Amino acid sequence: SAAEIGEALRPVLRMASKIVLVDPYFDANEQRYRDSLVALVGQALRMPRSVAADPEIVIVTGVDQMHKEREGEFTGEQIARVAANLRANAERQLPRCLPAGCRVQLVVLKNRLGADPMHNRFVLTDVGGVIVPYGLDDYTRAEAHTVRDDLQPMHRGIYDERWQQYAELRGVDIVLGPIAIAM
């Protein structure tokens, strides 16, 4: 559940100055993603924090989940339309559910030709990272039964690679962002 994901990640979220939530399927229009985001942000902002300032929070999502290869070429116009829709959903929905004064950034990526497709889900912070195999959404809403997930701390090499990729945005195809969404 959203609360369980937030609670499990509480120690790393409270120590972090930067938090990058990577889920290529994240769409703020979906309640199950908003619930988890609220739980994660709530844990990150909850006192006591190990660092004084509120953390920088970045959501990284992708456009490719909206296109199937059998549909033919994913045109630049289609890509831009999907990214604009993800942005509009975030700008409309997130201010309603996150605390006043909270800021998040949204980044929308496209799978880079010849590179690993964006599929895995991560919570990356400046103090470490966690692999979230089922994703950053609340499965208690989406499923008739609760899905149990095994959150996995990242080994240093994997963490370093993913931090460069998603926090520093190196070697990725950015369609949109980072754009700030203020509450």
Side-chain angles (χ1 to χ4, degrees):
S1 71
E4 290 170 320
I5 293 171
E7 184 62 31
L9 297 176
R10 177 175 41 99
V12 71
L13 295 172
R14 290 204 189 151
M15 291 188 298
S17 295
K18 183 171 184 173
I19 300 167
V20 182
L21 307 172
V22 180
D23 192 323
Y25 304 98
F26 180 92
D27 183 344
N29 221 32
E30 299 283 338
Q31 184 71 44
R32 61 194 177 123
Y33 287 106
R34 289 194 312 268
D35 288 349
S36 290
L37 179 63
V38 166
L40 293 167
V41 168
Q43 290 293 349
L45 299 179
R46 196 165 152 197
M47 294 300 191
R49 285 191 38 80
S50 298
V51 291
D54 286 345
E56 175 185 352
I57 301 170
V58 181
I59 301 167
V60 179
T61 189
V63 295
D64 294 283
Q65 81 276 12
M66 299 303 292
H67 183 263
K68 307 293 181 255
E69 282 188 32
R70 67 179 178 276
E71 296 172 348
E73 180 185 0
F74 197 22
T75 67
E77 182 180 313
Q78 291 170 320
I79 291 167
R81 194 170 37 250
V82 170
N85 188 49
L86 290 167
R87 176 185 185 164
N89 292 347
E91 290 176 333
R92 182 178 56 254
Q93 297 291 347
L94 298 184
R96 297 178 189 182
C97 64
L98 294 175
C102 178
R103 284 183 40 148
V104 298
Q105 292 182 16
L106 178 68
V107 176
V108 181
L109 303 179
K110 178 180 179 343
N111 285 335
R112 180 170 264 198
L113 197 59
D116 288 337
M118 187 180 181
H119 172 73
N120 294 332
R121 289 78 157 200
F122 310 106
V123 174
L124 301 169
T125 74
D126 52 334
V127 294
V130 176
I131 300 168
V132 187
Y134 272 93
L136 298 174
D137 52 332
D138 184 334
Y139 270 90
T140 59
R141 287 184 179 276
E143 304 289 326
H145 61 283
T146 300
V147 174
R148 301 301 300 172
D149 205 354
D150 297 318
L151 305 180
Q152 304 164 5
M154 292 179 141
H155 295 289
R156 188 72 200 189
I158 294 170
Y159 166 79
D160 290 340
E161 183 179 325
R162 296 305 180 210
W163 182 261
Q164 288 177 19
Q165 187 177 15
Y166 296 118
E168 297 175 1
L169 298 173
R170 288 196 218 162
V172 296
D173 288 343
I174 301 171
V175 178
L176 179 71
I179 61 153
I181 300 172
M183 306 316 137

